[in-house]
Amino acid sequence: MGNKKNQDYPFIKETIKQRPMDKRKVLEKLGVAAACGIVFGLSAVFIIMICMPGILDKYEQRIKKKETVQITPSIQPSGDSSLQQETASVDKSTEEIDAANNEDIQEESTVSHLQNIYEMVRKIAREPQKALVRVAGITGDSDLLDDSLLTFGDEGGIVFIKNKDGFYIVTTSERLQEIEKFRITFSNGKSAEGELCGADSRTNLVVIRVPVENTDEDTWENIPAVPLSSEDNQEQTQPVIAIGSPAGDMNALIYGSITSISGKLNIADEEYSLITTDMAGSQKGGGVLLNMNGRMTGIIISNDNQENTVLRAVSVAEIKCLLEILSNGEPICYTGIRGTTISKMQSEQLNIPQGIFVDRVEQGSPAMNAGIQSGDILYKMGDQRVLTMDEYSRVLQNKKPGERMEVTLYRKSPAEEYVDVELNILIKEK
């Protein structure tokens, strides 16, 4: 059965013979392969020859770049860092030295500038300081220990007039107003006896005269009088010098500037401008203000409300009239009106007449007895029109105590209209 299949398909017994190798074709294929290899090789060589320079350049640049990057750390990594730090440190030190030098130069310049200013201040104040004096009141009692006249008070003052009659000294003191005799100690250490010329209880100003016969030759020749400023031209930030005892200590010297000129000192029958400065003062202080020409421009007044405050002074240009009255021993005429000037601008803005607005009337004063009231606006004295407190004071001080003076003023009626009122005042002595 198994052989039957083979017998049915006899062709299966045929043997498949391998085709004989054709050497020629093999050689041809080898030749073609070799030719292709040669062509490809030549092409590669050709391409390499063309591209190699550019590749070599790029390679050289990469090599150089790497060298540039790697050389610095590879040669002396720590040393170079130190060098940079040293260089930075040197640069910083140089900058600090330059900055320090600049600061030193600026500081030296500032110090030099301040020294020049203070030297100038001392130079300006040198001559006026010679006019400073000390004032003590003399009583008539004798001291049992040394049999000398008793003195009290130790106020600072300054010589503001020097003429053939002697030295005239102004001081501010409430205690010395009732004293008749004084012991004056001049800046050269010499002393002389002085006498009261006049005192004003409203401002506490006291004027004392030292007769020429009471002084020696050295004092008369070497003690000057401080010149008075003739113009009321103070301005803010204007430099001023304080001498005397502005902070309480004698013979002090302070330099500062004016901060305000708008303040007012309202007293009976007068209104003075106040000069406010940036210099510290004291309730016990006194003295005067000098301008940069060495002239007395203000008399320092104390502040009763504060123990320590800034220095304030009454303008000398405005108080000259009062100083003249006190120096001549003339009486001060008094009515007791405390008022303020109504300016033209205030008159227009408030719709009220120009004149002197009466703030208040002192108790028991001639003005109160005459019927003047707070709120009245005074604008005429006799036939003379007066619109400011300065004008009112000048007219009043030309009168004499015991005289009668007619005044005209505006007063509001119940209908809120201003009507004229005429009153008669009996002038008294303050």
Side-chain angles (χ1 to χ4, degrees), residues 188-398:
N188 63 354
K190 305 292 183 65
S191 296
E193 188 173 310
E195 58 189 20
L196 178 68
C197 290
D200 179 22
S201 60
R202 304 169 304 168
T203 59
N204 291 331
L205 286 175
V206 178
V207 174
I208 302 163
R209 182 175 72 93
V210 178
V212 62
E213 57 268 21
N214 291 359
T215 61
D216 58 16
E217 185 177 352
D218 176 69
T219 300
W220 183 254
E221 290 181 354
N222 296 314
I223 301 300
V226 61
L228 305 182
S229 176
S230 58
E231 298 180 356
D232 187 18
N233 58 352
Q234 291 88 4
E235 296 180 355
Q236 285 180 311
T237 71
Q238 180 179 328
V240 285
I241 303 168
I243 62 173
S245 56
D249 298 325
M250 291 292 184
N251 200 26
L253 174 63
I254 307 177
Y255 170 72
S257 61
I258 295 174
T259 59
S260 174
I261 54 175
S262 59
K264 297 292 181 182
L265 176 63
N266 294 104
I267 58 176
D269 307 312
E270 187 57 271
E271 181 184 54
Y272 294 119
S273 296
L274 283 178
I275 305 169
T276 305
T277 73
D278 59 359
M279 296 177 281
S282 169
Q283 183 182 359
K284 299 178 181 180
V288 300
L289 292 183
L290 305 174
N291 60 22
M292 301 311 287
N293 293 322
R295 292 182 173 272
M296 187 167 74
T297 189
I299 298 178
I300 296 171
I301 61 171
S302 60
N303 190 327
D304 296 332
N305 298 325
Q306 297 180 358
E307 182 67 24
N308 292 299
T309 183
V310 294
L311 290 181
R312 307 180 82 188
V314 179
S315 172
V316 166
E318 294 185 8
I319 213 169
K320 271 185 178 181
C321 180
L322 177 59
L323 290 176
E324 186 177 315
I325 291 172
L326 296 178
S327 299
N328 292 321
E330 298 174 354
I332 297 175
C333 294
Y334 169 72
T335 65
I337 293 176
R338 294 207 177 198
T340 185
T341 301
I342 300 174
S343 66
K344 184 177 180 181
M345 181 181 297
Q346 290 172 326
S347 174
E348 294 174 352
Q349 291 178 347
L350 302 175
N351 194 26
I352 58 176
Q354 274 190 269
I356 300 164
F357 183 84
V358 179
D359 289 322
R360 68 184 181 92
V361 181
E362 293 189 344
Q363 190 71 27
S365 65
M368 176 173 281
N369 295 333
I372 296 180
Q373 303 174 5
S374 298
D376 290 343
I377 300 176
L378 192 150
Y379 69 94
K380 189 183 291 186
M381 301 172 70
D383 296 330
Q384 188 170 353
R385 190 173 180 84
V386 291
L387 298 179
T388 67
M389 280 299 296
D390 183 61
E391 293 174 350
Y392 175 81
S393 179
R394 289 181 182 276
V395 174
L396 177 61
Q397 297 308 323
N398 284 327

